[in-house]
Amino acid sequence: MPYDASDSVVQLLDVSKEFMRDKIRIPVLTNTTLHIPKGDFAAIMGPSGSGKSTLLNLAAGLDRPTTGRVIVNGQDLGVLSEAGLSRFRSENLGFIFQMYNLMPVLTAFENVELPLLLAPLNRAQRRQHVEAALRIVSLADRQDHYPRQLSGGQEQRVAIARAIANDPVLLLADEPTGNLDATSAQEVLDLLELLNTQFGTTIIMVTHDPKAARRAKRLLHLEKGTFVQADIEALETSR
Amino acid sequence: MIPIKYNLRSLWARKVGSLMTIASTGIAVGASVFALGLSAGLDQTLEVSAGPLDIIVLRQGSSSETASGVSEAVAREILALPGIATDQQGRPLAAPELVVVTYLPRRGNAGSANVTIRGALPVSRDLREGMKVVEGRDFQPGLREAIVSRKLAGRFEGLGMNEEFVVQDKSFKVVGLFEAGGGATESEIWTDQKVLAQVANRTGGTSSVQIRAASKAAQETLLNHIKADEQIALKAITEVQYFADQAQAGLVLRLLGQIIAFFLTIGAMFAVANTMYGAIATRAREIGTLRSLGFGRGSILTAFLLESLVLCLVGAIVGCLASIALTKLFGGQSAGTMNGVTFTEIVFAFSFGPNVLMKGALLAVFLGVVGGFLPALRAVRMKVVDALREV
Ligand SMILES: Nc1ncnc2c1ncn2[C@@H]1O[C@H](COP(=O)(O)OP(=O)(O)O)[C@@H](O)[C@H]1O
Ligand SMILES: [Mg+2]
């Protein structure tokens, strides 16, 4: 099937993924094909264990598909070595986790600076990037705070700053509001929306929360290893 | 690269575990440094004792002065040999010397040990450049007076200034204390040769003849000459050789120190590995996150090896300092052990030179790398997706 790679940031081509557990094969994704165009904000919903996280991991090159190809930003991840994948992640991707995953021993500033240490930037340039990222998430005044001194919502905003610090083309968010209260969740979603509309960052967000999914431009529903038809408007009316 | 502050602060964050590991490596490195300092101290003591041009003449078959004897007549013959250095007055720098061993009680009810008494001639002093009386005065010929090494004075009853000790029922008075540059002489008591010979019933001969050769070549000639003379049945060896043989001294002590240090090192290695395994297990999600940010396997390996190295180096510093402090605290750095050849007490100072401390540092690096390697490898091998699923 011919496809136009130029406007797709993520392409999963006939991807299958199965895990082995106690010598039993567990199929998670079966012959799944997916195109995420540049500038998209896609929400992925689906029951627990349906393979949502697995899908994000494949798109991030953190795991490899059993069969099929994963192409991100024009790069076939299958041809990259481990070191190549690391480098690719550092240059192209931002990751947001449900549990924030900040380094507890580093300050907000130092956490955001982490991915920049892999970029060819000097100290002053890194500082600029970190400060800009923290300003976007409205935490410039908290740069010297450690994660334990921040609320969950603030931690997640620091994590977002870390994810966007080196201007990734693609943001992958795995239940970014899953651990937050309603207000903090709103703030995080506002931020993601801002990044998508103002900065044109492509976002794939896995979520359980219909309210979160509604903020996306597109809804994908993952069930029994493949995507099924989903209607974001239907979500809206069900609220 | 992952910033080192990440590892340093992580160490700080789990203080108890880190401190226990630091203590463990500290004990291992401290014990090793202690054992090395002891060996180096012994070697140094015996090394500074030896004059490069000096020769010791002993009876054939004896390996130390205490078990040797040279008759007066033969000694005179030797003093007349060519090639012996002379002093300003033209007298040969050579001295027949009498060595007697006496059994003295240690201070503080710590048992007794053999101590060497040397019956010396005036020229004996010229053969020991480093020797000088630092307290009191020299002994007078013809009297039962003695001077004692300052180190020895503190270790045995009756050897302190103005105290008296007994040799063969006769008491000697300590009239002076001396130092001898840290050499083997610092394990001796000196007195007048004639007086000692009478008291110990050793008239008519001495234990050895000490000779300073005029040159290296003369030394060679003298050695060969004495060896070749079958009639006198003596052996002549350089003093360097003599003390190298005596370096067997404290062999048991050295061995024991090394064995203890070895087992403590093995223990410390497990402690380091255990701590690092724990650290890596509890930080699996952090490691997964670092990988997802783009840090490669090399970065992870380096970071955790460094973390383990820091742990061990801090331990090493603590251990070295503790070791030095302990030896300073007990006996002002000087210690005694049995000379395994002469069975007399030999006093020496622990030596913590750069060489010893360097070895301590190397041991720390070894501990850090070996103890930290397998845990760091586990961090590297961790599958990112599994690490991220850890809570
Ligand atoms: N690394 C793994 N090893 C074994 N099984 C896994 C692994 N990762 C995911 N799975 C299994 O794959 C299925 C999908 O997991 P996941 O993608 O985490 O689901 P979701 O994020 O949609 O809840 C689950 O049954 C899970 O147990
Ligand atoms: Mg999941």
Side-chain angles (χ1 to χ4, degrees), chain B residues 14 275-287 390-391:
Chain B
R14 50 190 163 89
T275 303
M276 290 311 295
Y277 271 128
I280 282 156
T282 53
R283 274 145 72 196
R285 203 152 55 89
E286 292 178 30
I287 295 165
E390 298 279 334
V391 281

Side-chain angles (χ1 to χ4, degrees), chain A residues 19-21 26 28 46-55 63 174-175 206 208 222, chain B residues 383 385-386 389:
Chain A
F19 290 104
M20 294 292 287
R21 195 182 294 155
I26 306 165
V28 176
S48 185
S50 56
K52 306 183 294 295
S53 296
T54 301
L55 184 99
D63 208 351
D174 198 348
E175 309 204 26
V206 165
H208 268 118
L222 194 57
Chain B
K383 284 199 69 187
V385 287
D386 293 333
R389 291 165 79 91

